[in-house]
Amino acid sequence: MVKLFSSTDKTFETNGDRIIKATKAKVHKEDNGSFYLEFESGINYADDIVENALLVVNLPQGEQAFRISNVSKTKSKITSKAWHVFYDSQNYLIKDSYVVDKDCAGAMEHLNNATEPVSPFSMSSDITSVGSYRCVRKSLFEALEVVRERWGGHLVRDNFSISLNSTIGTDTQAVIRYRKNLKI
């Protein structure tokens, strides 16, 4: 089940404007890399699947919103590539801001508060190393990339919450051995 929301929605607790029955909905996610949805549905949703609308899909980490782009229509289907709402951070400009001797969470929050227009994102981090960064005429997206390079960590994107954590996931000490505990 894929939920369709308008382009201005920020919370996704309802069923949205419409429920879409997808013929294909495949999420691609790389650690510190791309995060997008390849989407395909029947032509009967042609009036609903439009640029910048939001598709919300259920993932193991919870429901995640993706902004529709590159809509392509044929006689029988609609396809699009929808980028995670994290990429909206490209639309928020930091004119001139200087992060001085802050941990990662402090640096991210400082840059988030310096955006024009005001950013809808919330920031957090568990990285305690201290550093400085001068940001001039960059998008929030570009600034966060520099913070990730300087402070390190793994980017965790959860709708409008952005985190840089030292580790992601948990080590359960499980060992998978060939022909031992794999089910075929």
Side-chain angles (χ1 to χ4, degrees):
M1 177 173 77
V2 177
K3 300 176 188 177
L4 178 73
F5 286 84
S6 73
S7 62
T8 57
D9 286 337
K10 301 285 187 236
T11 59
F12 311 108
E13 297 167 359
T14 66
N15 283 335
D17 299 336
R18 184 158 188 194
I19 301 294
I20 306 288
K21 185 175 180 182
T23 54
K24 176 184 174 186
K26 185 175 181 182
V27 174
H28 299 269
K29 183 178 181 184
E30 299 173 13
D31 184 27
N32 294 332
S34 298
F35 192 10
Y36 62 90
L37 167 72
E38 287 181 342
F39 180 78
E40 184 179 291
S41 67
I43 196 68
N44 53 321
Y45 299 110
D47 295 335
D48 300 314
I49 306 298
V50 295
E51 296 277 331
N52 292 323
L54 295 168
L55 294 173
V56 176
V57 296
N58 198 13
L59 299 178
Q61 69 196 53
E63 290 187 329
Q64 295 298 309
F66 296 86
R67 192 163 304 278
I68 298 172
S69 64
N70 303 327
V71 177
S72 173
K73 299 176 185 178
T74 65
K75 291 181 181 179
S76 61
K77 66 182 177 182
I78 301 170
T79 59
S80 73
K81 189 175 197 178
W83 291 91
H84 192 270
V85 291
F86 161 75
Y87 292 97
D88 286 357
S89 62
Q90 295 171 336
N91 301 327
Y92 297 91
L93 180 68
I94 300 169
K95 291 180 183 176
D96 189 1
S97 188
Y98 192 30
V99 177
V100 180
D101 297 331
K102 293 193 179 201
D103 65 359
C104 190
M108 291 173 67
E109 196 61 40
H110 178 92
L111 294 168
N112 191 44
N113 291 334
T115 61
E116 184 67 37
V118 176
S119 164
F121 295 98
S122 63
M123 307 286 171
S124 64
S125 178
D126 64 359
I127 299 171
T128 57
S129 61
V130 175
S132 299
Y133 167 50
R134 177 76 185 258
C135 179
V136 179
R137 289 187 299 277
K138 292 193 183 286
S139 70
L140 179 59
F141 177 84
E142 294 169 319
L144 290 173
E145 286 296 310
V146 172
V147 169
R148 186 184 57 77
E149 289 171 6
R150 291 191 183 180
W151 276 264
H154 300 275
L155 189 61
V156 178
R157 299 160 281 200
D158 184 12
N159 291 326
F160 290 96
S161 297
I162 303 169
S163 301
L164 265 177
N165 294 334
S166 55
T167 61
I168 54 176
T170 57
D171 186 1
T172 61
Q173 301 296 321
V175 177
I176 298 174
R177 288 196 241 154
Y178 180 70
R179 295 183 145 239
K180 178 70 176 165
N181 54 1
L182 295 177
K183 291 182 181 179
I184 297 178

